[in-house]
Amino acid sequence: MNEHERVIAHEVGPAAVVAGAGSGKTRAATLRAARLARTGERVGLVTFTASAAEEMRQRVLAEDVPAKHVWAGTFHSLAFQILRQFPEAGGYEGFPEVLTPNDELRLFRRLWAELLDQDLDAELRRKLVKALGFFRKARAEEALEGWAARAGESLELDAEMLEALMISFQLRKREAGLASFDDLIEGASRALGDKDVRKWADRRFPFLIVDEYQDTSRAQETFLAALMPGEAPNLMVIGDPNQAIYGWRGAGSRTFERFQARYPQAVLYPLRKNYRSTRAVLRLAERAIARLYRSGQEAYYRLEGVKEEGEPPVLLTPPNAAAEATDVAREVARAVASGVPPEEIAVLARSSMQLAGVEDRLARLGVATRLLGGIRLSERREVKTLVQLLKAAWSLHERALVDFIEEAVPGLGERTLTRVEHAARPYNLVDRIMNDGAFVRGFSTRVQQGLFMTRTLLQLARATFEGVTGEAFAERFREFAQDLYGELLPGYLARIGKQGPNEEARRRHLERFVATVEAFAREEAEGGLDDLLARLAFLEQQDGPAVTLGTVHAVKGLEFEVVFVVGMVEGAFPILADDSDPEEERRLFYVAATRAKRRLYLSAPTYGPRGKILQPSRYLEEALDEGLVRLQKVRPAA
């Protein structure tokens, strides 16, 4: 049997599949699941994104197996399922409302504002974001002891206050029936100690296959051990330690070592053949990752390429970031013109901010794009603020209103807003601000000014869109957006533009969003604001072929004929911050390079802001020293 067939044929007991990039590991996992399901066994498939889970499920079902025998989902959706059925076993009186990470952060900041009895300035807000990150990472690593001392020392915050705040924060969430994603994992692990939950899990998941296991945190490992107890569970884990790139959320490159220590009898299946990339691309990736290993450990990173030699990766050296965006966009356009399908082209970066220039240049060239791992158009601050106001005015959505006020109305911070919210109860906050002048006048002059301003905007939004549909709705929408950021909130775009992207770029984002709304209005002749808000999440989906723009984290698991990696300079890729992990940065480059099937371009600008000379990424220096890349001067536009 070949290496895939051995994985597929594995019968019972624990197993670890250590699979290199492009080795077909997901195919092997789904074929094994299909084989088990055809014999009548129930199989669970666990991974890290809903889209990946659904793809795995569809692959299994395509092998003509009964759907009732296959479950696929994420760690969090599995924990959600357990707590939905057995909330008391997880420590909840009823099933909790799930908080998004942003919702959790907002609640955390408000509790701090209450503790200090003052609104938070920008610097303290920034520190609290990092403090919550410290706690989340420590919790995922199951290393909570001393987390507050570490966070306090790093952020110059009082450690005892941090510790007390977090205890109060956890209690408040529990009392309010709220749960973060991390709370779901912890609660489900606790629930699995209950005998009724144990019986349910044993019936539901006699076999479990976990994909992308290198991204598993210690807390998730504990959850898996609770779900599949014993010394020899029918648990197969699949992944690539060289693609462990989520250290900031508690994952690491040694998950497979811990798996083998927990299950000494586990069978190890290596998958080393790469079916994706040319040999020239593989050599570059191998040499980059090899520096993490000692002599004699080649089996951990060596890939056996089955494709042709191919062209060597190309190094581009534009003079600066603006020229890089222009040059890469032109090269992308040339590739499309030469016959490469747009969906087979990707532009990758270490940070989503590095993609803004390329996105803008491609839009000017008429090349459609889709953004992965960056900020969606509807999530950009200038667009989101507009949407929050409309949602609050039209649907009386309290959380949307609070978010809008925090973002756009001066003088109303977390502490003040908490007082306003409490005073409005038990009535709807939006309704009271819009329609109850006495309620607004019950606050100080400064607060009244902010609330009356909010009231004016809410009433204007209601009046503007009441009973308006189709083309008339589109016209009103454009006028409202222009007025909001012109006369009604003067200076807002300039203020947030100082934090990047600049005001001009933010106005372009707004124009694109308005154009999207206009397209919606053309398709929905009877559609108005209510319909727009209901369909907003679907309007940005790219139906036609599009070039992918994404962070390296976002494209892991994907592959493209042509890949561009921009911003390849020291400090940007790799990031050189005090809390960055040099080994993880190197694994990120390995992931970026191995997305390319045929052609790989690496771009390193020569100069930064104010003419500062930039140092090419160490990965490029190493590749140049070993002759693994070819330097190319970008041709001028035709």
Side-chain angles (χ1 to χ4, degrees):
M1 291 191 289
N2 64 33
E3 56 184 18
H4 279 93
E5 291 169 341
R6 286 193 288 273
V7 173
I8 296 167
H10 180 80
E11 290 291 346
V12 296
V17 182
V18 180
S23 60
K25 63 182 179 62
T26 303
R27 180 175 180 274
T30 53
L31 288 178
R32 177 175 184 256
R35 182 185 67 78
L36 290 168
R38 276 196 296 268
T39 66
E41 297 287 0
R42 289 179 174 269
V43 185
L45 296 159
V46 179
T47 188
F48 284 83
T49 68
S51 58
E54 180 58 21
E55 181 184 350
M56 291 181 74
R57 180 176 177 274
Q58 291 302 326
R59 285 194 191 189
V60 176
L61 296 182
E63 297 297 320
D64 193 27
V65 301
K68 66 180 181 179
H69 289 168
V70 180
W71 181 92
T74 65
F75 277 95
H76 295 121
S77 66
L78 178 53
F80 178 96
Q81 188 176 109
I82 292 171
L83 291 179
R84 182 177 60 186
Q85 293 190 236
F86 306 98
E88 291 80 9
Y92 294 93
E93 292 184 5
F95 181 70
E97 178 185 349
V98 180
L99 290 169
T100 68
N102 283 338
D103 290 337
E104 186 184 31
L105 174 60
R106 189 175 296 109
L107 184 62
F108 182 65
R109 286 200 314 234
R110 288 201 187 167
L111 186 60
W112 189 276
E114 287 181 28
L115 187 67
L116 296 180
D117 194 28
Q118 67 181 47
D119 290 331
L120 309 180
D121 59 29
E123 178 65 13
L124 185 52
R125 285 186 176 201
R126 183 189 65 79
K127 288 183 177 182
L128 291 180
V129 171
K130 292 192 172 185
L132 187 56
F134 264 96
F135 178 76
R136 287 170 174 166
K137 187 172 186 291
R139 190 181 188 187
E141 293 174 340
E142 297 185 340
L144 280 174
E145 185 176 351
W147 80 271
R150 297 191 297 273
E153 181 178 1
S154 174
L155 302 173
E156 297 181 343
L157 293 172
D158 184 274
E160 290 186 4
M161 187 178 289
L162 266 179
E163 189 82 60
L165 175 70
M166 192 56 68
I167 292 172
S168 177
F169 180 56
Q170 296 297 99
L171 287 173
R172 180 168 295 193
K173 282 192 295 180
R174 183 67 59 84
E175 290 169 356
L178 302 173
S180 67
F181 290 153
D182 294 332
D183 294 330
L184 292 180
I185 296 296
E186 189 175 281
S189 298
R190 187 184 308 115
L192 285 162
D194 179 271
K195 63 179 182 179
D196 291 331
V197 185
R198 178 75 272 139
K199 289 179 182 177
W200 174 87
D202 289 342
R203 289 194 305 269
R204 189 70 183 83
F205 299 109
F207 287 86
L208 197 70
I209 300 174
V210 182
D211 197 15
E212 303 292 356
Y213 187 68
Q214 75 281 346
D215 296 333
T216 306
S217 70
R218 284 182 180 267
Q220 289 165 334
E221 290 175 34
T222 297
F223 174 44
L224 286 176
L227 183 68
M228 307 292 288
E231 296 181 355
N234 295 322
L235 173 63
M236 174 178 278
V237 299
I238 302 176
D240 180 4
N242 293 325
Q243 296 187 65
I245 57 174
Y246 290 100
W248 51 271
R249 69 182 188 197
S253 62
R254 291 177 172 78
T255 50
F256 282 89
E257 294 176 24
R258 292 198 296 270
F259 183 84
Q260 289 179 287
R262 187 188 292 269
Y263 308 111
Q265 68 276 51
V267 181
L268 179 64
Y269 296 103
L271 297 182
R272 307 314 305 172
K273 287 188 177 181
N274 178 285
Y275 300 91
R276 175 188 299 156
S277 305
T278 62
R279 293 176 184 175
V281 170
L282 288 182
R283 271 199 299 277
L284 174 71
E286 279 184 4
R287 294 314 302 155
I289 206 70
R291 293 173 181 259
L292 300 182
Y293 294 95
R294 301 185 305 274
S295 177
Q297 292 184 311
E298 289 78 9
Y300 289 99
Y301 64 84
R302 184 64 50 79
L303 295 172
E304 181 184 338
V306 300
K307 295 181 73 172
E308 73 280 4
E309 173 64 20
E311 301 176 10
V314 172
L315 172 60
L316 307 176
T317 56
N320 52 43
E324 176 182 63
T326 299
D327 293 345
V328 169
R330 286 174 178 167
E331 287 294 306
V332 168
R334 287 191 180 103
V336 172
S338 71
V340 181
E343 63 271 22
E344 284 290 342
I345 302 173
V347 182
L348 311 182
R350 178 64 179 84
S351 165
S352 62
M353 291 186 295
Q354 297 169 290
L355 297 167
V358 179
E359 181 183 19
D360 180 61
R361 302 307 192 280
L362 286 173
R364 295 183 185 186
L365 293 173
V367 178
T369 60
R370 63 168 183 152
L371 189 63
L372 299 180
I375 303 175
R376 289 172 46 132
L377 186 61
S378 61
E379 290 297 314
R380 294 190 183 277
R381 287 175 69 180
E382 58 279 12
V383 175
K384 190 171 184 179
T385 297
L386 168 61
V387 171
Q388 286 166 337
L389 173 61
L390 296 177
K391 188 181 293 186
W394 199 256
S395 307
L396 302 186
H397 196 293
E398 292 180 291
R399 184 176 294 170
L401 178 64
V402 171
D403 290 347
F404 171 78
I405 293 174
E406 280 189 0
E407 173 66 22
V409 180
L412 299 181
E414 287 92 347
R415 182 181 63 112
T416 303
L417 274 175
T418 298
R419 290 205 335 263
V420 172
E421 284 184 276
H422 287 166
R425 292 172 184 167
Y427 304 105
N428 181 277
L429 175 65
V430 185
D431 183 60
R432 295 210 71 176
I433 292 176
M434 284 181 67
N435 302 308
D436 189 346
F439 169 74
V440 174
R441 285 188 288 272
F443 296 95
S444 68
T445 302
R446 178 180 62 84
V447 176
Q448 284 186 48
Q449 289 174 343
L451 293 181
F452 274 122
M453 172 185 170
T454 304
R455 181 186 192 186
T456 300
L457 294 174
L458 290 168
Q459 291 176 339
L460 179 63
R462 291 285 301 192
T464 298
F465 297 107
E466 192 78 56
V468 182
T469 60
E471 291 186 9
F473 168 70
E475 291 176 8
R476 294 274 186 95
F477 194 93
R478 176 175 288 279
E479 292 171 1
F480 185 83
Q482 290 172 345
D483 290 345
L484 181 66
Y485 292 124
E487 301 173 8
L488 301 173
L489 292 176
Y492 172 74
L493 294 181
R495 174 170 62 82
I496 65 173
K498 292 178 181 178
Q499 302 166 32
N502 62 27
E503 181 178 358
E504 180 185 354
R506 292 187 182 278
R507 291 193 181 278
R508 286 199 299 271
H509 299 155
L510 280 168
E511 178 58 35
R512 284 174 52 201
F513 184 66
V514 171
T516 300
V517 174
E518 289 174 334
F520 158 79
R522 287 193 297 271
E523 294 176 6
E524 300 287 341
E526 301 301 318
L529 183 58
D530 192 46
D531 304 284
L532 173 69
L533 294 175
R535 289 187 51 191
L536 195 58
F538 304 99
L539 292 182
E540 292 183 71
Q541 291 182 351
Q542 180 61 250
D543 295 327
V547 172
T548 295
L549 307 179
T551 62
V552 181
H553 284 99
V555 299
K556 190 163 72 69
L558 303 179
E559 57 184 38
F560 308 89
E561 284 290 318
V562 183
V563 171
F564 296 81
V565 185
V566 300
M568 293 290 301
V569 296
E570 290 288 289
F573 200 170
I575 289 175
L576 301 178
D578 291 340
D579 58 351
S580 63
D581 180 349
E583 293 189 1
E584 185 161 306
E585 291 293 313
R586 188 171 288 276
R587 291 194 294 270
L588 273 164
F589 177 66
Y590 174 85
V591 169
T594 53
R595 299 312 93 196
K597 293 192 281 188
R598 189 161 56 90
R599 285 155 56 191
L600 175 62
Y601 293 82
L602 308 170
S603 177
T606 304
Y607 298 99
R610 295 178 294 279
K612 178 184 177 182
I613 298 176
L614 301 176
Q615 182 181 349
S617 170
R618 63 194 66 185
Y619 316 132
L620 297 182
E621 298 278 15
E622 295 161 7
L624 283 168
D625 289 345
E626 299 189 35
L628 299 176
V629 295
R630 174 172 60 84
L631 183 63
Q632 173 182 304
K633 296 293 183 182
V634 179
R635 295 169 292 171

